[in-house]
Each structure stands twice: as structure tokens, then as C-alpha cells.
């Protein structure tokens, strides 16, 4: 399946304990450039988040936004420090013996001693927190990939149409090539006859000049390679996958062949077709930048 590098995905869920919102968006980039904005309490999971996202994304500049509201943050628990309480009681006993006074310590008195009873926040359950976070990220990533696939299919259809048109241009250049040589032979013969004023024309010399000219403007190799590149690109588009870099390389090679064809063109019609080829190849290259 072909994927575009542009995409968007969002997931949100609300429970009695929390509300989590995950949003992903991406644009073109040569490599995978992942930017994460999230609450500090999730910083511990950053490496795991990056590893998780690499299952869904190979290329693109991706921005990930995570918003988390914990409705249990106010939950507190009372902690009783029994060992410290025992130390207090031992100290009170010694004081009573030392000063000969009554040890009238009660539970309420002991509870007021520093650090015997303390209020502490309920500790985070990291495993549960990661489960909530990873589920949200995966759900957003799946929707993100769906938009990429949809856009990728549109790109594939457009590129195949462009490649078909390029194949037509190549066929026109191939068809035109032998006619150019025949026209050159005819014009050369007429010019020589005009210069010789009716004298016999040296056919061997004409043939030599035509051969030199034909070799100079010959684009057979360029056309063969262009046809091969067009078919290769079409087959890769149909096969799909992360092929953006491969297609970009093929497009560069196609542009090279079109440039050579244009430089050899000594015919207006062929030059027009070569320019049209270059224009179409440039359009293809621009579209390929959107493919993962």
C-alpha cells in the first residue's frame, strides 16, 4: 500500500479516572523527524513512544500532541509511621521515669506528634499509565495511517496517469526519429544538387553525411532507458510500501535522459516532446516528495 507523508490522526477518550487526547499530524521530510509535546509526567515514556510510532511511520516530520487530565490527582492517603510512634512512646516513658511524672499520653496526643501521621498522594501506577497512553497513541496512529493511505492512493493514480502520458511522449519521439533522418537526407540531396547545378551527386558522400547526422541525433538509448524507468516506477507504485526515496532516484535518472534527448534534438517536434517530457518529469518529482 502506498502512503503519503502528509496525514492527521486524533483520538480522545474520557473515563471517571482520566481524559486523554492524542493528536498527530505530519508533513514531508527526508527522514523521520518526530516532535513530542506532552505533560512532564509522561517524559519517562518518551523512548517507548518513539519506538511505538516507528511501527507506523518511516518518514515525515511528525508532531505528536498529548493532553492528559488525571481526575484522581487529588486522591490522598493517610500514612501511619508506626516505628516513629514507637520511638515517641519510648521517649515519653523515659521522661516519665526521669522526672517522676505520670505518662498520660493518649492516642490523640501521639497522633499530633510530627510525622507520625502524614498525608501523601496516591503513587502513580506506571504500568497502568503506559497502558492508557499507548492505547491512545496507537488509536491516533491508526487513524493517522488511514489518512496517509487514502492520500497515497490519490497520489498513485495521479502519478500513473503522468507516467502513461510520458510513455506516449517517448513513443512519439521514437516514431519521429526515422522520419527526421529521411527528411535530412532529402534536404541534403536537394541542396547538393542545387550547388552542383545538375551534376551527378555522390551517393556515398550523401550516405556518409546522413550516417554522421543520424549518430549525432540518435536517442535510441535514451528512449529505451526512459521506457524502462517508466515501467519500473509504475510497478513500484502498484506494489506500494515505503518507496519514496527509490522513486526520487528513478525520477532523477529520467530527468537525465530527458535532458540528453533535448540536447540532441535538431528537430522542432522532437524538441517540443522532450520539453514536455521534462515538464512532466518535474511534476512527477514534486509529487514523489509527498510519498513515504
Amino acid at each position: 500500500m502506498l502512503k503519503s507523508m502528509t496525514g492527521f490522526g486524533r483520538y480522545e477518550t474520557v473515563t471517571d479516572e482520566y481524559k486523554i487526547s492524542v493528536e498527530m499530524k505530519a508533513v514531508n521530510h527526508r527522514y523521520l523527524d518526530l516532535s513530542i509535546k506532552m505533560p512532564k509526567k509522561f517524559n519517562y515514556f518518551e523512548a517507548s513512544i518513539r519506538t511505538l510510532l516507528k511501527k507506523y511511520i518511516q518518514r515525515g516530520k511528525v508532531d505528536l500532541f498529548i493532553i492528559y487530565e488525571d481526575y484522581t490527582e487529588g486522591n490522598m492517603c493517610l500514612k501511619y509511621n508506626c516505628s516513629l510512634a514507637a520511638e515517641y512512646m519510648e521517649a515519653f516513658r523515659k521522661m516519665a521515669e526521669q522526672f517522676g511524672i505520670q505518662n498520660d499520653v493518649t492516642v490523640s496526643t501521639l497522633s499530633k506528634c510530627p510525622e507520625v501521621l502524614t498525608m501523601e498522594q496516591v503513587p502513580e501506577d506506571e504500568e497502568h499509565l503506559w497502558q492508557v497512553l499507548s492505547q491512545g497513541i496507537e488509536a491516533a496512529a491508526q487513524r493517522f495511517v488511514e489518512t496517509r493511505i487514502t492520500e497515497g492512493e490519490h497520489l498513485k493514480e495521479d502519478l500513473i496517469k503522468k507516467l502513461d502520458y510520458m510513455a506516449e511522449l517517448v513513443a512519439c519521439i521514437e516514431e519521429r526519429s526515422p522520419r527526421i533522418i529521411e527528411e535530412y537526407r532529402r534536404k541534403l540531396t536537394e541542396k547538393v544538387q542545387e550547388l552542383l547545378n545538375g551534376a551527378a551527386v555522390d551517393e556515398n558522400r550523401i550516405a556518409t553525411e546522413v550516417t554522421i547526422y543520424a549518430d549525432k541525433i540518435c536517442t535510441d538509448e535514451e528512449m529505451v532507458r526512459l521506457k524502462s524507468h517508466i515501467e519500473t516506477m509504475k510497478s513500484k507504485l502498484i506494489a506500494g510500501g515505503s518507496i519514496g526515496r527509490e522513486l526520487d532516484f528513478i525520477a532523477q535518472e529520467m530527468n537525465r535522459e530527458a535532458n540528453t534527448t533535448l540536447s540532441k534534438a535538431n528537430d522542432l517536434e522532437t524538441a517540443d516532446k522532450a520539453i514536455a517530457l521534462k515538464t512532466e518529469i518535474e511534476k512527477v518529482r514534486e509529487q514523489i516528495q509527498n510519498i513515504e
Side-chain angles (χ1 to χ4, degrees), residues 88-101 103:
Y88 275 119
M89 290 301 294
E90 179 63 19
F92 293 149
R93 185 187 63 76
K94 289 180 179 179
M95 289 170 64
E97 290 178 357
Q98 181 180 357
F99 297 107
I101 58 177
N103 187 352

Side-chain angles (χ1 to χ4, degrees), residues 33 38 40 45 49 58 63 69 95-96 110 122 124 156 193 198 226 230 249 263-264 276 278:
D33 180 10
M38 59 185 174
K40 289 183 179 179
F45 301 116
I49 292 171
Q58 279 70 51
D63 291 314
E69 296 179 30
M95 289 170 64
L110 182 62
V122 177
E124 295 281 6
K156 180 174 74 173
Q193 287 176 340
L226 266 172
I230 289 169
F249 173 76
S263 68
K264 289 182 176 183
K278 280 179 58 63

Side-chain angles (χ1 to χ4, degrees), residues 198-227:
V201 177
D202 186 349
E203 291 295 335
N204 290 332
R205 182 59 181 170
I206 293 291
T208 301
E209 289 295 331
V210 170
T211 301
I212 294 171
Y213 177 78
D215 184 61
K216 183 180 178 182
I217 68 164
C218 180
T219 57
D220 290 352
E221 291 182 17
E222 288 77 16
M223 294 302 101
V224 168
R225 284 193 288 267
L226 266 172
K227 286 192 291 187

Side-chain angles (χ1 to χ4, degrees), residues 164-267:
D164 288 339
Y165 177 54
M166 288 165 57
E168 292 176 12
L169 293 172
V170 168
C172 290
I173 293 173
E174 287 182 317
E175 184 182 349
R176 176 66 181 157
S177 183
R179 297 210 304 268
I180 295 172
I181 298 170
E182 288 300 321
E183 289 174 9
Y184 178 76
R185 175 190 287 274
R186 177 175 53 77
K187 290 178 181 178
L188 180 62
T189 302
E190 290 174 356
K191 194 170 186 179
V192 171
Q193 287 176 340
E194 183 181 343
L195 291 172
L196 293 177
N197 198 20
V201 177
D202 186 349
E203 291 295 335
N204 290 332
R205 182 59 181 170
I206 293 291
T208 301
E209 289 295 331
V210 170
T211 301
I212 294 171
Y213 177 78
D215 184 61
K216 183 180 178 182
I217 68 164
C218 180
T219 57
D220 290 352
E221 291 182 17
E222 288 77 16
M223 294 302 101
V224 168
R225 284 193 288 267
L226 266 172
K227 286 192 291 187
S228 175
H229 292 326
I230 289 169
E231 288 305 315
T232 300
M233 187 175 285
K234 284 180 71 174
S235 63
K236 287 188 176 294
L237 284 168
I238 293 169
S242 297
I243 56 173
R245 291 180 189 173
E246 291 181 71
L247 297 185
D248 189 47
F249 173 76
I250 295 172
Q252 290 179 40
E253 294 301 306
M254 292 166 73
N255 192 53
R256 196 194 315 275
E257 303 302 339
N259 281 333
T260 305
T261 301
L262 184 58
S263 68
K264 289 182 176 183
N266 198 18
D267 170 73

